[in-house]
Amino acid sequence: MQKTLTVRSLSEMDRFAKQIAAHLFPGAIIGLKGELGSGKTTLTKYLARHLGIQETVNSPTFTILKDYRGLLPLYHMDVYRLEGIGYDYELDDFIYGQGVSVIEWFPYISEMLPEHILEIEILGQNDQVRTIHVKGEGPYETIVQTLSD
Ligand SMILES: Nc1ncnc2c1ncn2[C@@H]1O[C@H](COP(=O)(O)OP(=O)(O)O)[C@@H](O)[C@H]1O
Ligand SMILES: [Mg+2]
């Protein structure tokens, strides 16, 4: 199942995050794709808030992974630095663990991801309107189904 949504502001991005967070489950994996400045980290911050995380969520570009405690644990990864490497087995326990994984630049580690993940592509940067493509099969299909503009 695939859906395309339009997000015109930060508050609409927050609303989008809320709709997704409401349906997350232990072990859920969200892959984020989009240019620098498209809003991958911003979306993750909103997801974190809706998962009850009070800590400030910052970009894990240099550490690759940061984990947070909320209603579900959140594992926030930015695998930009793994371009051309393709995997990092230290991430395995998290990706296949009982928290929610949010992976910025997920195509760079596609070979270590399971068949089904929730894919979110963000088009647009800076103050532009975002077009968001969301794709999910299997356990992610209902999440996509319930999304609305
Ligand atoms: N509708 C929007 N959705 C997401 N970010 C937005 C939006 N409008 C403006 N922005 C801004 O765009 C920037 C996105 O940066 P960031 O989330 O770090 O992107 P990325 O992680 O994809 O590199 C932030 O400064 C954010 O405040
Ligand atoms: Mg980022």
Side-chain angles (χ1 to χ4, degrees):
M1 166 122 220
Q2 240 170 302
K3 224 174 234 182
T4 298
L5 303 168
T6 303
V7 160
R8 298 177 185 283
S9 62
L10 286 172
S11 66
E12 284 189 16
M13 190 58 111
D14 189 19
R15 186 173 167 270
F16 172 68
K18 189 177 179 179
Q19 293 184 61
I20 290 172
H23 296 101
L24 290 174
F25 48 88
I29 301 169
I30 302 175
L32 303 181
K33 193 162 126 179
E35 293 306 313
L36 210 67
S38 60
K40 301 180 295 298
T41 300
T42 301
L43 171 58
T44 309
K45 284 176 197 246
Y46 290 137
L47 283 169
R49 195 192 294 165
H50 294 297
L51 287 172
I53 291 157
Q54 276 152 30
E55 234 181 300
T56 305
V57 171
N58 289 311
S59 181
T61 308
F62 298 104
T63 52
I64 299 186
L65 180 131
K66 285 187 187 169
D67 68 301
Y68 301 91
R69 309 257 152 249
L71 301 171
L72 291 170
L74 172 69
Y75 311 132
H76 182 198
M77 298 165 223
D78 183 327
V79 298
Y80 187 76
R81 293 199 307 153
L82 298 176
E83 181 183 13
I85 298 169
Y87 62 89
D88 177 344
Y89 290 121
E90 289 184 20
L91 301 177
D92 243 42
D93 289 345
F94 295 93
I95 294 172
Y96 291 90
Q98 290 304 298
V100 170
S101 292
V102 176
I103 311 170
E104 299 191 36
W105 301 99
F106 76 94
Y108 291 171
I109 58 158
S110 57
E111 63 190 73
M112 65 178 293
L113 295 176
E115 185 188 357
H116 294 304
I117 69 166
L118 182 70
E119 291 189 21
I120 301 178
E121 180 177 19
I122 310 173
L123 303 172
Q125 282 159 294
N126 307 315
D127 292 331
Q128 295 167 346
V129 170
R130 289 343 187 239
T131 298
I132 303 184
H133 298 300
V134 192
K135 197 165 120 189
E137 312 294 341
Y140 300 98
E141 199 166 334
T142 38
I143 301 185
V144 183
Q145 240 157 25
T146 54
L147 292 172
S148 67
D149 266 318

